[in-house]
């Protein structure tokens, strides 16, 4: 590894994007991934003839001007084949009322929400105004968590009067906005918002920052949109892999980072390679796309700046997930079965369900995959002894499968395949501590300028991923990778500009 090069840790979408951007700028870069494939939480696995998306099942940012669209064009890559989701999701509150369809057409969505939540238009109008301001601001590539004069300059250059006006809502939650708009007593609306926001921000309405929630609540509508990739979620990482290798970057799979240490003005990275070989690589800079909770175990305590290690150790614990992976004959599904369904059941909890489309490459002709996930505390699963763990896992599988049978009107004998992943299994697959999914949660105290910065107080160490602004999802982590890459290159006197 060249001493002026960069090592990127973690081959999820964030790490891949950062490595591709740097390689495209001519920087010597090595991407280290502990697993046998890239993709991370947006990866896939196979069971016989079926392909299952590990975690993420939807993609945002493929529309013109979207984060993936901008970055792929900059990298001279074709966009992966994808279909717009219309509706983006169907939300069943499980209260006996008709489900809510998140239509792609804004006018159709307006009529839908008026039918379900009469009297709420003031709330949606404010969300729309904030969203437009946020989206325009984000398109100017600000560094929202400035930690240097250069960072601050990027932030100030992106500000506009509308951005400053939106700042009046800093510190407010979506629940606060409901009250302000006279909708605080609408329990159905609150239930709907809690379900949707938990998916995208790790927090319910009373803990989600308005400036974040206002945008994610409109991700399904034009001119934005949610997309279903043809083939699998893995095609996103495959495209990025191609760009990395094409531009001279190096990808090392099955290389797990076990230590980081400052060394001769740069970094020494200790790696466990195949056949249990130990390697020590050196680089001027390191970009870590792993959850920041990993860092205290990688860097010796005597190298930490005062207070920073404590801040990382005090970060809130994200949720884990139980994920059911099943397959059925397509004829067993209801004719009106949506591709993505959220159901607010009390037990086993709110389910997010993704059903494969005919011909999308995930199941043989005449069959469909069914993926259902529910949030769960991580420690509950990681502390159990093996017999208790297996029993609880089987009970959870039966509970989720039973809820799917009720909500999708399936007979118990239709399953061609059924298995369950827990936080314990997810930790083994992704290497994320205790199998945590998602980032830190978009609470006002952690959103935007109050969040964890990509520029760490340790020279040459940068962060990206779903714990950094602007948050979760492949589109969000790609923007965090762009921020880290721009900051790193600016330190080297280079300017990375992504054109619209």
């Amino acid at each position: 590894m060249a001493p002026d090069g960069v090592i990127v840790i973690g081959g999820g979408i964030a790490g891949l994007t950062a490595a591709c951007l740097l390689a495209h700028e001519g920087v010597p870069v090595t991407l280290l991934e502990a697993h046998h494939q890239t993709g991370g939480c947006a990866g896939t696995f196979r069971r016989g003839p079926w392909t299952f998306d590990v975690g993420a099942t939807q993609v945002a940012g493929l529309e013109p001007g979207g984060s993936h669209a901008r970055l792929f064009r900059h990298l001279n890559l074709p966009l992966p084949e994808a279909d717009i989701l219309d509706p983006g999701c169907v939300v069943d509150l499980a209260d006996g009322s008709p489900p809510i369809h998140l239509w792609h057409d804004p006018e159709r969505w307006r009529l839908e929400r008026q039918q379900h939540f009469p009297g709420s238009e003031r709330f949606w109008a404010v969300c729309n105004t904030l969203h437009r301001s946020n989206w325009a601001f984000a398109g100017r590539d600000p560094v929202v968590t400035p930690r240097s004069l250069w960072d601050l300059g990027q932030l100030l250059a992106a500000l506009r009067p509308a951005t400053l006006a939106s700042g009046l809502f800093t510190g407010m939650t979506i629940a606060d906005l409901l009250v302000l708009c006279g909708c605080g007593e609408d329990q159905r609306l609150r239930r709907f918002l809690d379900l949707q926001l938990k998916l995208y921000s790790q927090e319910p309405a009373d803990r989600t920052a308005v400036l974040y929630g206002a945008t994610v609540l409109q991700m399904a509508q034009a001119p934005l949109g949610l997309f279903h990739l043809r083939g699998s979620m893995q095609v996103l990482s495959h495209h990025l892999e191609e760009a990395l290798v094409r531009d001279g970057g190096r990808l090392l799979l099955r290389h797990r980072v076990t230590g980081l240490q400052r060394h001769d003005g740069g970094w020494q990275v200790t790696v466990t390679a195949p056949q249990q070989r130990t390697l020590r690589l050196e680089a001027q800079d390191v970009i870590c796309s792993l959850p920041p909770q990993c860092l205290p175990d990688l860097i010796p305590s005597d190298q930490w700046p005062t207070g920073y290690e404590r801040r990382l150790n005090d970060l809130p614990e994200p949720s884990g997930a139980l994920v059911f992976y099943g397959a059925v004959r397509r004829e067993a599904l209801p004719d009106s079965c949506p591709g993505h369904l959220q159901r607010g059941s009390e037990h086993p909890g709110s389910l997010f369900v993704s059903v494969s489309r005919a011909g999308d490459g995930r199941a043989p002709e005449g069959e469909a995959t069914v993926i259902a996930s529910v949030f769960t505390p991580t420690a509950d699963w990681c502390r159990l002894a093996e017999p208790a763990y297996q029993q609880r896992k089987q009970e959870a599988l039966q509970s989720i499968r039973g809820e799917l049978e009720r909500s999708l009107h399936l007979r118990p004998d239709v399953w061609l395949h059924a298995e369950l992943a827990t936080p314990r299994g997810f930790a083994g697959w992704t290497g994320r501590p205790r199998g945590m999914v998602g980032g830190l949660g978009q609470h006002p105290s952690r959103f935007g300028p109050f969040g964890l910065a990509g520029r760490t107080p340790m020279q040459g160490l940068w962060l990206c991923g779903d714990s950094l602004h602007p948050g979760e999802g492949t589109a969000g982590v790609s923007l965090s990778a762009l921020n880290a890459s721009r900051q790193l290159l600016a330190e080297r006197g280079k300017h990375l500009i992504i054109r619209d």
Side-chain angles (χ1 to χ4, degrees), residues 21 31 108 135 189 241 286 302 312 394 404 436 454 462:
L21 289 170
L31 175 61
R108 194 176 184 188
W135 200 251
L189 176 58
E241 281 184 42
V286 169
D302 60 2
L312 295 181
Q394 186 62 28
L404 287 171
M436 60 180 65
W462 313 86

Side-chain angles (χ1 to χ4, degrees), residues 54-98:
V54 172
T57 58
Q58 299 173 325
V59 174
L62 294 178
E63 72 282 350
S67 55
H68 285 311
R70 293 177 67 212
L71 291 168
F72 271 55
R73 184 172 65 178
H74 176 79
L75 295 169
N76 298 317
L77 283 173
L79 282 175
E81 292 186 74
D83 300 306
I84 195 73
L85 291 172
D86 192 17
C89 184
V90 176
V91 182
D92 183 354
L93 300 182
D95 60 358
S97 63

Side-chain angles (χ1 to χ4, degrees), residues 147-206:
R147 297 295 185 269
S148 74
L149 288 177
W150 186 89
D151 295 350
L152 183 60
Q154 301 302 302
L155 174 60
L156 294 177
L159 295 176
R160 298 293 186 274
T163 318
L164 297 174
S166 297
L168 297 174
F169 292 85
T170 301
M172 289 181 59
T173 68
I174 287 289
D176 293 331
L177 184 61
L178 281 174
V179 174
L180 186 65
C181 295
C183 305
E185 301 302 318
D186 190 334
Q187 295 303 310
R188 267 191 99 244
L189 176 58
R190 175 61 183 272
R191 175 66 168 156
F192 168 78
L193 295 173
D194 282 343
L195 292 177
Q196 282 284 285
L197 292 169
K198 184 68 174 176
L199 276 180
Y200 301 112
S201 77
Q202 291 272 337
E203 301 283 10
D206 63 350

Side-chain angles (χ1 to χ4, degrees), residues 351-477:
L351 283 179
F352 182 69
V353 184
S354 298
V355 180
S356 65
R357 293 185 171 191
D360 69 2
R362 289 167 171 80
E365 184 177 356
E367 298 179 7
T369 61
V370 180
I371 302 173
S373 59
V374 60
F375 287 111
T376 184
T378 57
D380 289 2
W381 290 91
C382 295
R383 292 172 182 163
L384 291 173
E386 188 63 21
Y389 169 75
Q390 291 298 337
Q391 179 179 348
R392 187 173 176 187
K393 180 178 178 180
Q394 186 62 28
E395 291 171 352
L397 186 150
Q398 297 296 338
S399 177
I400 294 175
R401 184 163 62 181
E403 182 61 22
L404 287 171
E405 289 167 4
R406 286 187 293 274
S407 60
L408 297 178
H409 310 294
L410 299 174
R411 299 190 315 275
D413 61 353
V414 302
W415 298 102
L416 304 173
H417 178 81
E419 65 177 286
L420 186 78
T422 73
R424 184 181 293 190
F426 203 64
W429 177 272
T430 66
R432 296 170 71 94
R434 298 171 297 284
M436 60 180 65
V437 298
L440 299 177
Q442 299 299 326
H443 187 273
S445 64
R446 294 187 294 273
F447 176 69
F450 309 109
L452 199 62
R455 183 191 298 269
T456 75
M458 304 184 75
Q459 180 68 33
L461 178 63
W462 313 86
L463 306 181
C464 64
D466 54 16
S467 293
L468 284 295
H469 182 85
E472 302 183 27
T474 61
V477 301

